[in-house]
Amino acid sequence: QVQLVESGGGLVQAGGSLRLSCAASGIGFSVYVVDWHRQAPGKQRELVARITSGGSTNYGDSVNGRFTISRDNAKNTVYLQMNSLKPEDTAVYYCRVHSPYTTADYWGQGTQVTVSS
């Protein structure tokens, strides 16, 4: 059974930093693409960052230059380092593990990030 567990969310002041973690179990983690998505109240879920199995990354325009996604395949974990946080970064952040070659598509339960002004 595949499980994704996010952690690291919390309350932080604007300008601060947080590091989110997504730990995977029950899956051959290293071959999958891993995303971080977020959803703020009343808004659609959006892609924040993506890292491929080869380590290539891309970011949403609103976080580019402030957030960094990385992975440690030995630990089956992906991280999202979030710096210079803004109140508009407030959302529930979700980890997603998926494959461009199969129908495999797994989501975590989400972790709340709240940035106060």
Side-chain angles (χ1 to χ4, degrees), residues 14-65:
S17 298
L18 285 173
R19 189 176 81 154
L20 305 184
S21 299
C22 171
S25 60
I27 191 172
F29 182 76
S30 64
V31 301
Y32 289 91
V33 177
V34 184
D35 302 342
W36 284 99
H37 294 250
R38 69 185 181 188
Q39 188 165 21
K43 295 188 177 181
Q44 288 190 330
R45 192 172 294 191
E46 64 171 343
L47 175 65
V48 174
R50 171 169 290 165
I51 187 164
T52 68
S53 59
S56 298
T57 60
N58 56 60
Y59 299 91
D61 289 342
S62 61
V63 306
N64 199 19

